[in-house]
Amino acid sequence: MEGEGFSPPPLSANKPFTGTKPLATPRKKKKKNNNRRFTDEQLRSLESMFKLETKLEPRKKLQLARELGLQPRQVAIWFQNRRARWKSKQIEQEYRVLKANYDKLNSQFESLKKEKQTLLVQLQKLNDRLKQPHDRGQGSKDSEGNSTDAGSDNEDTNCEFKVKPSCSSEALEYGAVMYSDDDERGSTRCLAQEEELELLNLGRQVDGSLVPPEKWCNLDSGGLPDHSCGTSNWWDFWT
DNA sequence: CCAATATTTAATGTTACTTCA
DNA sequence: GCTGAAGTAACATTAAATATT
């Protein structure tokens, strides 16, 4: 009970009411809710007090009520209702912030997903190429008779990447390797050799054999990171 | 302009909690 | 420590006033 020992406020006590006529007869059986707005002046005072403190001390409440010509109970009720409104605004605001954060994260996630997909396509192509050398035993020399078989000398990778003149001289100077990229963008990429090797090793088991793509922790599933992956938590995907 | 509908807001009712004698 | 009264916050709800369609 909202008891301050007051009986319902005597209507006549609210002299500053906005001038609407007092209800001669209550429309409904229940409370003669005499619901008249407070004056602008009253609201201004109440609002400015609310800015200072959202909960009124009893003494201040009495003082404010006296100043505004209201019942202390009316002031208390106004503060209660005002707190309720303030709280729901707060909740709305928090919701907006949370939603904005979520949307931002979600779009980051989507673009990372796309990037991952692109990299997987690349990886798949690289692995396909690694499998090709078997068919290429006799025919991988160009017209000048240069052997382009990267594995012909010492490597066990059978890497067939060719250095192309289109790669910038700086890139070449720093050991960049060029390969044609026939993905949908049709672009040509330059990768530093270390990155290249890293990618190649991704699909390779300890013994050097290739891991079948389907065992790459479902990386190519296209959906959310797979829970069955080595790491126990899906969010480890991000780290 | 009027009526129907929606929104705002002062007030009530209930429950739970704290303080104090 | 227990008890009851008083005060009050939080919450849901009501109903009148007001705004909007």
Side-chain angles (χ1 to χ4, degrees), chain A residues 1-49:
Chain A
M1 192 53 124
E2 176 94 37
E4 286 185 28
F6 291 110
S7 51
L11 310 180
S12 58
N14 292 334
K15 42 143 202 207
F17 271 148
T18 47
T20 43
K21 57 181 190 236
L23 289 175
T25 54
R27 234 175 256 170
K28 296 267 169 173
K29 39 27 282 227
K30 225 177 171 180
K31 53 195 171 187
K32 23 66 206 187
N33 188 3
N34 192 27
N35 184 14
R36 258 147 293 168
R37 305 289 200 253
F38 294 161
T39 63
D40 290 347
E41 186 56 40
Q42 287 171 325
L43 289 174
R44 259 197 300 278
S45 296
L46 289 164
E47 284 290 351
S48 61
M49 186 60 83

Side-chain angles (χ1 to χ4, degrees), chain A residues 66-77:
Chain A
R66 218 179 306 122
E67 284 171 15
L68 299 177
L70 295 171
Q71 291 294 317
R73 177 172 165 79
Q74 286 180 292
V75 173
I77 287 170

Side-chain angles (χ1 to χ4, degrees), chain A residues 3-193:
Chain A
E4 286 185 28
F6 291 110
S7 51
L11 310 180
S12 58
N14 292 334
K15 42 143 202 207
F17 271 148
T18 47
T20 43
K21 57 181 190 236
L23 289 175
T25 54
R27 234 175 256 170
K28 296 267 169 173
K29 39 27 282 227
K30 225 177 171 180
K31 53 195 171 187
K32 23 66 206 187
N33 188 3
N34 192 27
N35 184 14
R36 258 147 293 168
R37 305 289 200 253
F38 294 161
T39 63
D40 290 347
E41 186 56 40
Q42 287 171 325
L43 289 174
R44 259 197 300 278
S45 296
L46 289 164
E47 284 290 351
S48 61
M49 186 60 83
F50 185 81
K51 271 179 190 152
L52 296 177
E53 42 196 327
T54 58
K55 289 182 185 176
L56 262 193
E57 295 167 26
R59 272 185 55 195
K60 285 188 180 173
K61 179 177 70 184
L62 288 173
Q63 187 190 344
L64 190 58
R66 218 179 306 122
E67 284 171 15
L68 299 177
L70 295 171
Q71 291 294 317
R73 177 172 165 79
Q74 286 180 292
V75 173
I77 287 170
W78 186 89
F79 267 77
Q80 282 178 18
N81 288 323
R82 186 66 182 77
R83 279 193 296 271
R85 277 176 297 210
W86 178 73
K87 191 177 176 181
S88 70
K89 292 270 185 226
Q90 285 284 107
I91 290 171
E92 278 177 27
Q93 170 71 12
E94 283 168 19
Y95 170 78
R96 275 196 295 271
V97 169
L98 277 174
K99 185 168 189 312
N101 286 342
Y102 168 79
D103 289 344
K104 191 177 164 192
L105 267 177
N106 196 38
S107 78
Q108 285 174 353
F109 176 70
E110 288 302 324
S111 56
L112 279 171
K113 223 162 75 178
K114 278 185 191 140
E115 191 183 337
K116 185 192 81 179
Q117 211 44 48
T118 306
L119 289 170
L120 282 170
V121 167
Q122 250 178 270
L123 185 57
Q124 182 63 59
K125 284 173 184 163
L126 290 172
N127 274 289
D128 288 348
R129 289 175 189 218
L130 285 173
K131 287 177 189 162
Q132 282 173 8
H134 305 299
D135 324 327
R136 186 172 42 97
Q138 71 275 43
S140 68
K141 295 189 187 238
D142 62 21
S143 54
E144 281 119 307
N146 294 330
S147 170
T148 55
D149 190 341
S152 62
D153 42 10
N154 54 349
E155 319 254 333
D156 61 348
T157 60
N158 293 328
C159 186
E160 63 166 31
F161 302 120
K162 302 171 179 135
V163 174
K164 288 196 179 171
S166 61
C167 213
S168 77
S169 55
E170 286 125 53
L172 294 174
E173 200 177 330
Y174 288 107
V177 179
M178 204 65 195
Y179 64 92
S180 71
D181 185 348
D182 32 41
D183 67 10
E184 63 279 2
R185 287 170 309 202
S187 62
T188 303
R189 288 166 181 266
C190 286
L191 283 182
Q193 262 175 335

